[in-house]
């Protein structure tokens, strides 16, 4: 069996000898060309408004987009394949690197899947801290979305304000996990360690100043006539289309579909929190903008409730087969040494079977399919990443609009290419 | 476990009595293992049946069960937004070149998801003529998520074997 890429010319052919039709069939990303008179334009992969390395093959009639096909894979790192040769704990660090703007949401989905496969329940304190950090991550991701998508429609000042607040959340990340972005803080059976003392005051402080900052962003955009012209009525997708194309998250709710996994398939105790699911009405870029802005306020509400009920107690389950023993025990307990050694060399074993765990990540439905086979390494890991599936509806939203509108639409579905290609 | 698990089994079993091979319950999730030939009809049925209304296809996941037989399995995670219930259909696939029917006519997003499955696992879908390389380059050979895919480890170049490895490297030498 031959595998891998041929060296030399792509496909082994000489590009100069191929006809235009052959070239399009091979490298046209499946674009079905409507008319020979239209122009083909390759947008990206190096283009600031594609939010990473997304290549779009556009068929243009003048400046109007007649058809388009996304071409992805420039950031493919084979994470799913790599995980099959790592233990469950080692594989965790790769989940951070998929959606690098919302690392803890990815940890959340993967860790819940591992725990489901093992059949363990975490302690109440760990559950609440996970919810707090999960919601902080939602704000973190929405801040980057707000800054960059506003930049796409030429509202340049919003960007730096958003990154100022993002920095505060990254400091909290560093406080709990020692890492600004790739935290890997959620571990099978709980958390890496308990949060430090200054955690709760830092979050309280954030809750105090952040609502007025959201007001500031809205003052810049919400009633801005230029922003209205760029976003209202642009990139409309109906509720039926959105559902059939698998759109999830705020992009789906912008079309008025009331579906949030935190409400419908609650995990990690989300059923105990009181919050609303913001819905849009028009299904355009502006509706999706409003949904995300309201979602940030709802997240603040969830964090506040979680802080008020944050219980004391351990953050890891009391099962030495899954959670390593504390350092203090190693000096006086033989069993602790054995457990420590076994866990860090071999890892824990997961039973045969497959599970599918969904979480509501900032961008939509993030789900992890995990199959165990009685060893310490997963037999198959698959991620249903929201950005990948949301990208499928881009052609529906963008057809018949200008290229400049396409830029606004890409911003509004909030894709991250690390998560698409994974 | 969602309350509709029994309903799914009943309805599908009534409509397609021969189709269900096995019912798997694991960690509160129900899986209907169904025959490959019935897949598309079941999907259409799940979408259009009044009590089920499964209007949302969440994901298609292919799994390589080597050395078991049949070797491959394709999982369809299907959800109903109005009814808030979900089910997993699992289709054993023996020959990846003779894969299940495409469900793109039932849920259009399936065309996009099937493309990923073909690219990385090499399972074809009948009726989906849009299958192409998505993540990998157009001229890539093989499907990396299969268990028998060689990982192609290269020998590490140290000072003692520098010359021997360098001689085999494909770049222009003076």
């Amino acid at each position: 069996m031959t595998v891998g890429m041929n060296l030399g010319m792509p496909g082994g052919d000489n590009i100069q000898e191929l006809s235009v039709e052959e070239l399009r069939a091979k490298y046209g990303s499946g674009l079905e060309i409507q008319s020979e008179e239209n122009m083909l334009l390759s947008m990206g992969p190096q283009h600031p408004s594609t939010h990473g390395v997304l290549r779009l093959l556009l068929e243009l009639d003048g400046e109007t987009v007649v058809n388009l096909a996304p071409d992805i894979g420039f950031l493919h790192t084979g994470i799913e394949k790599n995980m099959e040769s790592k233990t469950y704990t080692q594989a965790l660090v790769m989940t951070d690197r998929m959606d690098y703007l919302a690392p803890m949401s990815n940890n959340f989905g993967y860790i819940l899947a591992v725990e489901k496969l093992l059949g363990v329940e975490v302690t109440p304190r760990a559950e609440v801290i996970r919810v707090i950090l999960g919601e902080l991550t939602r704000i973190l991701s929405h801040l980057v979305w707000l800054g960059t998508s506003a930049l796409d429609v030429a509202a340049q000042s919003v960007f730096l304000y958003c990154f100022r607040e993002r920095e505060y959340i990254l400091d909290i990340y560093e406080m709990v996990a020692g890492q600004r972005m790739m935290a890997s803080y959620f571990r099978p059976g709980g958390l890496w360690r308990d949060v430090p003392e200054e955690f709760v005051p830092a979050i309280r402080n954030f809750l105090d100043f952040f609502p007025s900052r959201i007001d500031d962003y809205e003052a810049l955009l919400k009633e801005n006539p230029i922003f209205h012209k760029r976003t209202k009525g642009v990139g409309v997708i109906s509720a039926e289309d959105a559902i059939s194309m698998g759109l999830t998250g705020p992009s789906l709710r912008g079309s008025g579909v009331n579906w949030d996994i935190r409400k419908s398939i609650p995990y990690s105790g989300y059923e105990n929190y009181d919050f609303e699911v913001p819905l849009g009405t028009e299904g355009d870029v502006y509706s999706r903008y409003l949904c995300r802005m309201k979602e940030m306020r709802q997240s603040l509400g969830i964090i506040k409730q979680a802080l008020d009920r944050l219980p004391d107690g351990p953050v890891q389950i009391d099962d030495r087969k899954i959670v390593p023993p504390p350092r203090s025990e190693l000096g006086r307990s033989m069993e602790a040494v054995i457990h420590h050694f076994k866990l860090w060399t071999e890892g824990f074993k997961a039973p045969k079977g497959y599970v599918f765990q969904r979480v509501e990540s900032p961008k939509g439905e993030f789900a992890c399919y995990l199959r165990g086979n009685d060893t310490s390494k997963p037999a198959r890991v698959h991620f249903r990443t929201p950005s990948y599936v949301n990208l499928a509806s881009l052609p529906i939203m963008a057809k018949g609009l200008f290229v400049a509108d396409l830029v606004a639409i890409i911003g509004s579905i909030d894709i991250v290419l690390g998560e698409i290609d994974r | 476990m969602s309350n509709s698990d029994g309903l799914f089994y009943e309805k599908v079993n009534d409509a397609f009595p021969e189709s269900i091979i096995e019912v798997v319950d694991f960690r509160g999730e129900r899986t209907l293992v169904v025959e490959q030939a019935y897949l598309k009809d079941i999907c259409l049925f799940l979408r259009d049946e009044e009590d089920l209304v499964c209007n949302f296809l969440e994901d298609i996941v292919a799994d390589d069960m080597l050395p078991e037989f049949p070797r491959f399995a394709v999982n369809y995670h299907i959800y109903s937004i109005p009814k808030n219930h979900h089910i997993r259909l699992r289709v054993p696939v023996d020959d990846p070149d003779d894969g299940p029917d495409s469900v793109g006519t039932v849920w259009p997003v399936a065309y996009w998801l099937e493309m990923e499955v073909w690219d990385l696992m090499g399972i074809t879908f009948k009726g989906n003529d849009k299958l192409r390389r998505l993540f990998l380059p157009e001229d890539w050979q093989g499907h990396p998520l299969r268990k028998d895919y060689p990982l192609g480890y290269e020998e590490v170049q140290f000072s003692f074997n520098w010359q021997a490895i360098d001689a085999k490297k494909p770049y222009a030498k003076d």
Side-chain angles (χ1 to χ4, degrees), chain A residues 72 116 365 379-380 422, chain B residues 29 58 62 116 134 139 147:
Chain A
I72 58 178
K116 200 177 200 180
E365 179 196 355
R380 173 89 167 94
R422 53 195 187 280
Chain B
E29 293 178 5
E58 283 178 291
E116 180 195 348
L134 199 64
D139 52 344
K147 294 287 182 193

Side-chain angles (χ1 to χ4, degrees), chain A residues 2 11 26 29 72 81 116-117 259 264 354 356 358 365 369 371 379-380 382 384 388 420 422, chain B residues 27 29 58-59 62-64 75 79 84 90 109 112 116 132 134-135 138-139 141 144 146-147:
Chain A
T2 45
K26 263 195 154 158
S29 304
I72 58 178
K81 180 75 175 172
K116 200 177 200 180
L117 186 64
W259 188 48
S264 37
Y354 34 84
F356 191 70
R358 314 157 172 82
E365 179 196 355
Y369 170 90
R371 178 162 71 85
R380 173 89 167 94
H382 175 84
R384 184 242 194 242
Y388 171 68
I420 291 178
R422 53 195 187 280
Chain B
R27 304 287 187 224
E29 293 178 5
E58 283 178 291
D59 202 3
D63 208 338
D64 185 355
N75 298 288
Y79 183 77
N84 190 18
R90 190 173 173 91
V109 69
W112 185 243
E116 180 195 348
R132 63 182 164 84
L134 199 64
F135 296 115
E138 282 79 0
D139 52 344
Q141 294 172 1
R146 288 189 183 181
K147 294 287 182 193

Side-chain angles (χ1 to χ4, degrees), chain A residues 25-224:
Chain A
K26 263 195 154 158
Y27 304 106
S29 304
L31 183 72
E32 285 152 15
I33 292 153
Q34 313 280 323
S35 159
E36 283 301 315
E37 291 184 357
N38 292 339
M39 187 177 82
L40 280 184
L41 182 73
S42 186
M43 178 173 163
Q46 319 307 344
H47 192 288
S49 71
T50 55
H51 294 244
V53 278
L54 168 69
R55 173 178 171 246
L56 292 170
L57 199 62
L58 310 177
E59 183 187 355
L60 299 177
D61 179 12
E63 213 193 323
T64 311
V65 178
V66 181
N67 203 353
L68 78 129
D71 182 11
I72 58 178
F74 295 93
L75 223 55
H76 181 62
T77 41
I79 284 178
E80 290 173 9
K81 180 75 175 172
N82 258 326
M83 283 187 170
E84 292 173 10
S85 59
K86 304 263 185 285
T87 65
Y88 287 95
T89 317
Q90 286 171 338
L92 167 67
V93 297
M94 275 185 270
T95 58
D96 290 303
R97 284 146 179 87
M98 286 191 299
D99 182 357
Y100 43 79
L101 296 178
M104 284 212 197
S105 291
N106 303 353
N107 288 170
F108 213 162
Y110 172 73
I111 286 298
L112 286 177
V114 173
E115 281 164 0
K116 200 177 200 180
L117 186 64
L118 292 170
V120 297
E121 298 243 330
V122 295
T123 58
R125 183 173 172 85
E127 222 168 41
V128 174
I129 294 176
R130 282 179 182 186
V131 168
I132 294 173
L133 288 167
E135 292 306 315
L136 269 185
T137 305
R138 191 177 312 281
I139 296 173
L140 179 83
S141 168
H142 282 359
L143 281 175
V144 178
W145 155 79
L146 180 64
T148 52
S149 68
L151 203 59
D152 287 343
V153 292
Q156 297 195 350
S157 41
V158 188
F159 181 76
L160 285 173
Y161 289 113
C162 290
F163 269 62
R164 181 183 62 191
E165 270 72 72
R166 178 172 184 263
E167 199 57 35
Y168 192 90
I169 300 179
L170 289 180
D171 285 346
I172 293 177
Y173 265 44
E174 193 178 352
M175 184 192 296
V176 297
Q179 276 267 33
R180 272 165 50 83
M181 282 177 78
M182 305 302 158
S184 298
Y185 180 58
F186 303 168
R187 297 288 165 93
L191 305 168
W192 172 49
R193 60 173 187 189
D194 204 350
V195 290
E197 268 175 31
E198 59 268 32
F199 176 74
V200 174
I203 305 256
R204 292 256 183 236
N205 183 28
F206 182 74
L207 290 177
D208 284 343
F209 76 74
F210 194 63
S212 67
R213 301 289 164 84
I214 302 181
D215 296 340
D216 291 350
Y217 311 144
E218 287 192 333
L220 286 164
L221 291 175
K222 201 172 179 184
E223 303 299 330
N224 184 333

Side-chain angles (χ1 to χ4, degrees), chain A residues 241-360:
Chain A
D241 280 349
I243 292 172
S244 69
M245 288 313 286
L247 207 63
T248 48
S251 311
L252 175 69
R253 294 192 282 273
S255 298
V257 182
N258 188 353
W259 188 48
D260 187 316
I261 295 168
R262 291 174 294 173
K263 286 275 188 200
S264 37
I265 316 170
Y267 54 92
S268 198
Y270 266 111
E271 63 273 23
N272 305 324
Y273 297 94
D274 178 30
F275 64 100
E276 279 170 29
V277 180
L279 294 181
T281 46
E282 310 293 323
D284 57 359
V285 175
Y286 191 67
S287 290
R288 295 192 274 273
Y289 157 79
L290 288 180
C291 272
R292 287 200 177 88
M293 294 307 277
K294 288 178 193 157
E295 228 171 59
M296 284 205 263
R297 292 188 196 274
Q298 294 298 328
S299 290
L300 287 177
I302 298 174
I303 296 173
K304 191 164 185 306
Q305 295 170 41
L307 270 189
D308 291 342
R309 67 174 67 158
L310 183 65
D312 289 331
V315 292
Q316 290 170 334
I317 54 166
D318 188 24
D319 183 349
R320 292 280 180 265
K321 301 290 176 204
I322 296 169
V323 177
R327 191 73 190 80
S328 56
E329 273 182 30
L330 290 183
R332 46 190 171 80
S333 161
M334 189 63 208
E335 284 78 16
V337 176
I338 295 171
H339 281 138
H340 177 89
F341 181 74
K342 287 286 274 184
L343 270 175
W344 294 119
T345 52
E346 192 189 8
F348 51 80
K349 289 181 180 171
K352 270 197 174 124
Y354 34 84
V355 294
F356 191 70
Q357 174 66 43
R358 314 157 172 82
V359 297
E360 181 77 23

